[in-house]
Amino acid sequence: MMSRTFCAITLAAAIGGSALFPAPALARSAVVIRFYDRDHRDYHRWNRDEDQRYRAYLAERHRRYVAFQRVNRQRQSEYWRWRHEHEGR
């Protein structure tokens, strides 16, 4: 009897606890991916906007999409150089 009561209380706490942390609050606490730009000695946050700019960069150069973290360091440096040149756009 005690075991069933404990399980029921634990289940109720787990279900009720999820209501304390709504989805938008959890999304804000997501892990932020940053990349270091060696040439310019700064960090860049990788988010949806940066991904769109990266895709525009690839399209401009007629390259197929490869995830940024998978391309070699030289290609990453080329992108950051392009990114700094197109900062205001």
Side-chain angles (χ1 to χ4, degrees):
M1 181 72 170
M2 183 83 147
S3 176
R4 285 185 179 174
T5 305
F6 179 74
C7 287
I9 291 172
T10 304
L11 180 61
I15 292 171
S18 63
L20 296 175
F21 300 103
L26 292 175
R28 283 191 301 256
S29 66
V31 175
V32 175
I33 298 174
R34 293 187 329 161
F35 288 96
Y36 183 68
D37 179 1
R38 290 174 183 245
D39 297 336
H40 295 95
R41 296 186 175 134
D42 60 353
Y43 286 92
H44 298 270
R45 286 186 175 175
W46 199 265
N47 54 25
R48 184 181 302 161
D49 294 335
E50 196 65 54
D51 188 63
Q52 288 177 346
R53 290 180 186 114
Y54 175 61
R55 288 172 187 268
Y57 163 81
L58 292 175
E60 188 178 289
R61 286 170 171 56
H62 306 286
R63 292 183 182 164
R64 66 181 178 84
Y65 177 81
V66 177
F68 186 76
Q69 59 266 29
R70 296 206 177 266
V71 298
N72 63 32
R73 188 176 291 159
Q74 179 183 356
R75 290 273 171 107
Q76 288 181 354
S77 292
E78 289 172 7
Y79 171 70
W80 293 130
R81 194 172 311 114
W82 177 87
R83 183 70 177 87
H84 279 277
E85 291 171 2
H86 295 80
E87 196 85 31
R89 297 180 189 178

